[in-house]
Amino acid sequence: LGDLSIQAIEDATIITISEAAAFTVSLSIGGGLAGGGGRAEATVATTTKALVDDSTLTVGGDLTVSATRTSEASAEMTAAAVSVGLVAIAASGSVAETVVDPTVDAHLLSSSVTARDVLVSASATPKAVAMGKGFAVSTGASVGVSEAFASVSPTVTASVGGADRTITARKLAVMGVVQPPEDGSDSAKAYASGSSGGLLIGVNATVATASNTSRVTSAVVDGTLLDIAEGTSILAMNTTRQYGESTGKAGGLIAVGATNADAFSDTTTTASLGTNPAGTMHRTGALNVLANGIDRNTSKAVAGSGGLVAGNASDADTLSAFEVDADIHPDAKLEVQSLSLRAMHNNEYGASSDSLNAAALGGSGANSDNDAFHARVGVDVGDNVQIISVGSVTISASNEFEKVT
């Protein structure tokens, strides 16, 4: 027989665009009120699976079990309000929210396989974009609020094996991957902008938040026996990019403005080799177990205000939490040509804020913070593991932090 390929491929895009506007003119002594606002939402939450369960397969060529998911959600909300009169009030509010929550699973479980090369691969490429824009102007008082929230939370799993099951092949690769779009854009991007102007009072507030909580697991499960002639790779790759930007301007006799931009990630990346059945020994060829995470979080906040009395503030923050683990489970017995057990993480961060004030009596402030917590990168060789290698044995863990602009 030739090759056998089991594939699940899914590509989904949802785009939401919404606009709201209000306009009033009052020439009487009475007041005029214009209010415009709305909410735009886009959500992609699906499951993609490629599976082999409870089977015995003999394949003359290669066996491929692959699940691939590309998801994009985009939401844009624009709101405007204009009020003209002796007593005039204009208010606008816009909220844009996107959620991308894919589950991708490729597995070869509770099955014994004989093939030339075996590949089990699960991958997700998520993208979420949220844009909230607001504009308010009046001959009296104006208030504008804009918010944007972009959230990505993929769960990706690639796994093989099962109790008293054997995988016999020349090469075995188990790969779980989360990656940003190929065009270099962000996994999650939130942008909020707002402007308000009133002859008497202008108030503006904008908030943008981009977040990512991705989970990637690649595993040969406990109880599996590997009989691999040349090479075994268990790879978990988790790469994310988040960006939040918030801009706001307020003008009036009295003007107040505030902007906030956040980008954060909370990711988990795990690659593991399970225990073989009692009385047996894994034969893996060159064994490579790698867990690699890269998280990039950047944010930008810009605030401006002008008037007789004016005040504004901008705040930009990044936050990163992560766990990256490469493991060999207790009691595993290995006969390898060489062994590489590595866990790696690179945390890229950058927050910037700017605040400009022009007033006879005024003040402004700008703040930016970059924080990381629960930053764990580790390799674990369990109790009673036995390794017989005719070549090199490399065990390493690295955790790097890099400030970007």
Side-chain angles (χ1 to χ4, degrees), residues 135-158:
F135 173 80
V137 64
S138 77
T139 55
S142 295
V143 178
V145 178
S146 299
E147 296 178 319
F149 305 97
S151 173
V152 171
S153 53
T155 300
V156 173
T157 305

Side-chain angles (χ1 to χ4, degrees), residues 194-269:
S195 300
S196 64
L199 292 181
L200 297 179
I201 300 174
V203 179
N204 182 74
T206 57
V207 176
T209 302
S211 64
N212 194 315
T213 56
S214 63
R215 304 286 182 264
V216 179
T217 302
S218 296
V220 174
V221 303
D222 287 335
T224 310
L225 177 62
L226 297 182
D227 186 7
I228 309 300
E230 294 185 10
T232 301
S233 297
I234 306 169
L235 310 177
M237 315 287 286
N238 196 352
T239 304
T240 74
R241 296 172 61 99
Q242 292 65 243
Y243 178 68
E245 180 176 349
S246 179
T247 63
K249 300 176 182 179
L253 188 65
I254 300 174
V256 179
T259 63
N260 181 264
D262 296 311
F264 73 86
S265 58
D266 183 357
T267 59
T268 301
T269 310

Side-chain angles (χ1 to χ4, degrees), residues 231 334 348 393:
L334 312 175
E348 302 174 354
V393 174

Side-chain angles (χ1 to χ4, degrees), residues 250-257 304-312 356-364:
L253 188 65
I254 300 174
V256 179
S305 64
L308 181 63
V309 179
N312 56 273
L356 177 64
N357 177 270
L361 179 62
S364 64

Side-chain angles (χ1 to χ4, degrees), residues 12-404:
T13 300
I14 182 171
I15 299 174
T16 303
I17 300 175
S18 182
E19 298 178 347
F23 179 77
T24 64
V25 176
S26 176
L27 301 179
S28 64
I29 297 178
L33 171 63
R39 184 183 187 93
E41 297 179 346
T43 299
V44 177
T46 59
T47 299
T48 307
K49 294 184 177 182
L51 315 175
V52 175
D53 288 313
D54 299 310
S55 302
T56 299
L57 299 178
T58 300
V59 181
D62 298 338
L63 171 62
T64 300
V65 182
S66 174
T68 304
R69 183 79 171 99
T70 301
S71 308
E72 181 177 351
S74 177
E76 181 177 345
M77 178 67 215
T78 302
V82 178
S83 180
V84 178
L86 296 178
V87 181
I89 299 175
S92 70
S94 65
V95 179
E97 182 175 6
T98 54
V99 177
V100 177
D101 183 20
T103 298
V104 184
D105 181 17
H107 70 237
L108 175 62
L109 295 179
S110 301
S111 300
S112 291
V113 173
T114 300
R116 184 173 55 192
D117 294 342
V118 176
L119 169 64
V120 178
S121 173
S123 66
T125 306
K127 181 178 181 178
V129 179
M131 302 180 68
K133 304 175 183 179
F135 173 80
V137 64
S138 77
T139 55
S142 295
V143 178
V145 178
S146 299
E147 296 178 319
F149 305 97
S151 173
V152 171
S153 53
T155 300
V156 173
T157 305
S159 55
V160 303
D164 298 317
R165 301 293 182 167
T166 302
I167 309 296
T168 303
R170 183 181 63 178
K171 295 180 181 179
L172 170 66
V174 185
M175 301 176 58
V177 178
V178 166
Q179 60 189 1
E182 293 182 356
D183 62 6
S185 58
D186 299 301
S187 307
K189 179 179 180 179
Y191 175 77
S193 67
S195 300
S196 64
L199 292 181
L200 297 179
I201 300 174
V203 179
N204 182 74
T206 57
V207 176
T209 302
S211 64
N212 194 315
T213 56
S214 63
R215 304 286 182 264
V216 179
T217 302
S218 296
V220 174
V221 303
D222 287 335
T224 310
L225 177 62
L226 297 182
D227 186 7
I228 309 300
E230 294 185 10
T232 301
S233 297
I234 306 169
L235 310 177
M237 315 287 286
N238 196 352
T239 304
T240 74
R241 296 172 61 99
Q242 292 65 243
Y243 178 68
E245 180 176 349
S246 179
T247 63
K249 300 176 182 179
L253 188 65
I254 300 174
V256 179
T259 63
N260 181 264
D262 296 311
F264 73 86
S265 58
D266 183 357
T267 59
T268 301
T269 310
T270 304
S272 63
L273 173 63
T275 301
N276 44 294
T280 66
M281 179 171 287
H282 283 314
R283 191 169 69 93
T284 65
L287 175 60
N288 181 23
V289 181
L290 170 65
N292 186 19
I294 302 173
D295 294 313
R296 180 186 179 98
N297 294 293
T298 54
S299 63
K300 180 180 180 180
V302 179
S305 64
L308 181 63
V309 179
N312 56 273
S314 63
D315 181 73
D317 301 300
T318 69
L319 181 63
S320 179
F322 51 87
E323 289 188 10
V324 181
D325 295 288
D327 305 326
I328 298 176
H329 289 185
D331 300 313
K333 295 176 176 59
L334 312 175
E335 180 182 331
V336 302
Q337 294 174 4
S338 62
L339 169 63
S340 175
L341 179 66
R342 295 176 295 159
M344 308 163 61
H345 188 270
N346 188 19
N347 187 55
E348 302 174 354
Y349 61 90
S352 66
S353 61
D354 187 24
S355 186
L356 177 64
N357 177 270
L361 179 62
S364 64
N367 179 71
S368 60
D369 289 310
N370 298 288
D371 294 314
F373 72 99
H374 197 67
R376 182 184 185 279
V377 179
V379 294
D380 182 28
V381 178
D383 295 339
N384 302 315
V385 170
Q386 298 180 25
I387 301 172
I388 299 174
S389 177
V390 298
S392 63
V393 174
T394 302
I395 300 174
S396 67
S398 64
N399 193 4
E400 298 182 0
F401 293 82
E402 178 184 359
K403 186 174 182 179
V404 296

